[in-house]
């Protein structure tokens, strides 16, 4: 891969002494993507939560443009440019689309060197949200709420976006639309994208083929070999649309 934006080195993390993330290393550059693929409970969310500072790692390092962010608080990691769209699209249900987007501005405004307001660019990317600016989030469809959750994160001007199971609970046609938006964010906005999904099929088009496969313990990306081929075949079968 080219110049690295996010680098994860020998990361070990879990809960109460358990090793959910077991010696994981990878790197993602600007405009590149990584799919984190695995079954329920395999550790995908734990990996994303560790990168965004919500779970403290037992060992290993997380670097952003070469700077060690491993022990920073979640808000400082967000302000540094790593934003997390958690599983279950947690938008503020009682706030309007406009208000939800403005909550996302806060982290971005605090970033050094950021001046341009991304509001219009974000709404250009999600015209459906522009049509619904004054609508309460809770009245929108699951797909629209997922787009709002992604759009809100973009308001924070991420250089790295961590997206946890964006396809969950959505109809296949909506999954496709969300995937197209994420690919645009990676390819045209130059954001480094890490996307967790249960199905390899759901992330292939978004991330451009780089996958970290999970089977209870995370493995290194592009490790090659028959283990990897077997796992990939299993996940493709599991997620076959
Ligand atoms: P899902 O598809 O369900 O989100 P996942 O691959 O994201 O699955 P994780 O949520 O990271 O998996 O969970 C990995 C393991 O860690 C599971 O065994 C889970 O029970 C455990 N775990 C997750 N969160 C906690 C927690 N807060 N405390 C203790 N154990 C946890």
């Amino acid at each position: 891969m080219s110049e690295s934006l996010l680098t994860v080195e020998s990361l070990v993390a879990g809960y109460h002494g358990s090793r959910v993330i077991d010696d994981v290393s990878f790197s993602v550059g600007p405009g590149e993507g990584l799919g984190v693929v695995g079954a329920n409970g395999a550790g995908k969310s734990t990996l994303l939560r560790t990168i965004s500072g919500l779970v403290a790692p037992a060992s290993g390092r997380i670097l952003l443009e070469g700077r060690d962010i491993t022990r920073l608080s979640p808000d400082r990691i967000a302000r540094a440019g790593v934003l997390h769209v958690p599983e279950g699209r947690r938008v503020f249900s009682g706030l309007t689309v406009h208000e939800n987007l403005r909550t996302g501005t806060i982290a971005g405004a605090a970033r050094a060197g950021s001046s341009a307001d991304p509001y219009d660019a974000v709404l250009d990317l999600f015209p459906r949200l522009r049509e619904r600016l004054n609508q309460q989030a809770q009245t929108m469809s699951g797909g629209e709420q997922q787009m709002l959750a992604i759009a809100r994160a973009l308001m924070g001007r991420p250089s790295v976006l961590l997206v946890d199971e964006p396809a969950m609970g959505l109809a296949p046609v909506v999954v496709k639309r969300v995937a197209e938006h994420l690919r645009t964010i990676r390819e045209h906005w130059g954001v480094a994208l890490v996307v967790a999904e249960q199905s390899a099929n759901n992330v292939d088009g978004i991330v451009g083929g780089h996958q970290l496969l999970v089977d209870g313990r995370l493995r290194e990306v592009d490790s090659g070999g028959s283990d990897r081929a077997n796992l990939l075949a299993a996940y493709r079968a599991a997620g076959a649309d």
Side-chain angles (χ1 to χ4, degrees):
M1 290 193 182
S2 58
E3 141 206 25
S4 173
L5 193 53
L6 176 71
T7 306
V8 169
E9 290 177 356
S10 307
L11 195 65
V12 176
Y15 308 93
H16 318 296
S18 71
R19 279 188 165 214
V20 176
I21 308 295
D22 191 12
D23 195 18
V24 166
S25 302
F26 64 83
S27 68
V28 194
E32 293 180 346
L34 177 72
V36 178
V37 179
N40 230 332
K44 307 181 295 296
S45 299
T46 302
L47 175 63
L48 301 197
R49 288 166 59 81
T50 307
I51 296 168
S52 61
L54 297 166
V55 171
S59 61
R61 292 202 312 165
I62 302 160
L63 307 173
L64 183 67
E65 292 179 274
R67 174 187 169 210
D68 193 334
I69 60 164
T70 317
R71 307 266 160 211
L72 296 186
S73 61
D75 67 300
R76 288 192 61 198
I77 291 172
R79 285 168 205 274
V82 180
L83 292 189
H84 188 169
V85 181
E87 193 177 320
R89 39 186 170 273
R90 305 224 186 93
V91 293
F92 294 103
S93 56
L95 298 186
T96 65
V97 167
H98 169 77
E99 289 164 342
N100 265 283
L101 291 178
R102 280 304 177 200
T103 65
T105 311
I106 299 164
R111 285 183 61 197
S114 311
S115 53
D117 184 350
Y119 188 74
D120 279 326
V122 168
L123 290 177
D124 286 346
L125 182 64
F126 295 100
R128 227 181 162 88
L129 297 181
R130 195 190 282 284
E131 292 163 15
R132 289 166 170 68
L133 280 178
N134 296 314
Q135 196 169 326
Q136 275 196 351
Q138 64 195 359
T139 66
M140 303 202 309
S141 70
E144 288 163 351
Q145 290 189 28
Q146 183 64 71
M147 289 179 205
L148 179 56
I150 295 166
R152 187 181 59 192
L154 285 183
M155 291 295 294
R157 280 178 254 262
S159 53
V160 177
L161 195 59
L162 313 172
V163 190
D164 201 349
E165 298 205 39
M168 187 192 269
L170 302 181
V173 61
V174 184
V175 169
K176 219 172 144 203
R177 207 172 301 137
V178 171
E180 280 163 13
H181 285 307
L182 287 171
R183 193 171 55 236
T184 300
I185 290 164
R186 177 175 71 77
E187 289 180 347
H188 298 292
W189 293 46
V191 172
L193 208 56
V194 180
V195 183
E197 270 299 349
Q198 296 198 21
S199 157
N201 293 337
N202 283 345
V203 283
D204 267 353
I206 302 174
V207 297
H210 298 290
Q211 308 231 338
L212 182 71
L213 300 177
V214 182
D215 67 345
R217 288 192 164 188
L218 288 162
R219 299 174 180 205
E220 266 186 51
V221 66
D222 293 336
S223 53
S226 60
D227 267 9
R228 184 174 195 283
N230 290 340
L231 261 180
L232 189 53
Y235 288 137
R236 282 195 197 288
D241 292 320

